[in-house]
Amino acid sequence: MANEANTNKAKTTRMAKLYIDDKKDPIELPIIDGTIGPAVIDVTKLYNESGLFTLDPGFMSTASCDSSITYIDGDEGILLHRGYKIEDLAAKSDYMEVCYLLFYGELPSKSEKEAFITKIKQHTMIHEQLQFLYRGFPRSAHPMAIMVGHYGNYR
């Protein structure tokens, strides 16, 4: 059931033409069909060709990225990860199954899940000195502050 987004923009054959008053020729912008939801107009080259930006207050009709992992439609209340409804994942899958799904595009079999968990456990060792870093934060510290401190520890 895994969904893959259309990430191959070279196959796009439909074009939108944008006419600007003071420009002689229209700007041709590719139309890209999404796996789910409406098609989009790729405005990547708009600034280079026209010197203009787009304005979309509230991000109401703008796709922020091309993703094969997540689909969001806030108006309809839809959030999908690799084609699976978030409600179904929350009710029927555990954290490691969702991690596997995000990495590999499908939910794991029992043996795939066991191998994945073993692999993750082998790569999650942390340096013993980090205990001193964590002890420096009060129990009520905000997680973002702890993360920033942890990141700074590696610089």
Side-chain angles (χ1 to χ4, degrees):
M1 178 175 169
N3 287 328
E4 293 297 322
N6 178 9
T7 57
N8 189 352
K9 295 179 184 177
K11 290 185 178 180
T12 301
T13 56
R14 296 188 307 152
M15 301 296 279
K17 291 183 179 182
L18 177 63
Y19 293 89
I20 301 172
D21 291 339
D22 61 342
K23 303 289 182 191
K24 182 178 179 180
D25 296 321
I27 298 170
E28 291 193 355
L29 303 167
I31 298 173
I32 301 169
D33 291 319
T35 303
I36 302 173
V40 298
I41 298 172
D42 183 352
V43 296
T44 304
K45 65 181 186 175
L46 179 63
Y47 178 71
N48 285 340
E49 293 194 17
S50 71
L52 299 171
F53 286 112
T54 59
L55 174 64
D56 183 11
F59 232 42
M60 297 304 291
S61 62
T62 300
S64 64
C65 65
D66 182 13
S67 175
S68 63
I69 297 174
T70 301
Y71 173 76
I72 301 170
D73 184 335
D75 291 337
E76 297 296 321
I78 298 171
L79 173 57
L80 305 176
H81 288 313
R82 299 281 194 183
Y84 292 90
K85 292 180 181 179
I86 193 68
E87 299 88 350
D88 292 341
L89 292 172
K92 300 174 185 171
S93 300
D94 64 29
Y95 178 77
M96 294 306 284
E97 288 170 331
V98 174
C99 289
Y100 187 96
L101 170 68
L102 296 177
F103 274 110
Y104 299 109
E106 57 190 44
L107 289 170
S109 66
K110 185 175 181 174
S111 62
E112 289 170 331
K113 180 182 175 184
E114 289 170 359
F116 182 68
I117 289 172
T118 299
K119 187 175 182 180
I120 294 294
K121 284 181 180 178
Q122 291 172 347
H123 292 89
T124 56
M125 301 296 289
I126 61 171
H127 196 281
E128 190 176 300
Q129 290 293 322
L130 285 176
Q131 69 177 312
F132 300 112
L133 172 79
Y134 293 130
R135 286 182 185 168
F137 287 96
R139 289 190 183 273
S140 61
H142 192 281
M144 186 60 78
I146 296 171
M147 186 196 74
V148 169
H150 188 238
Y151 178 75
N153 187 50
Y154 288 108
R155 302 299 255 97

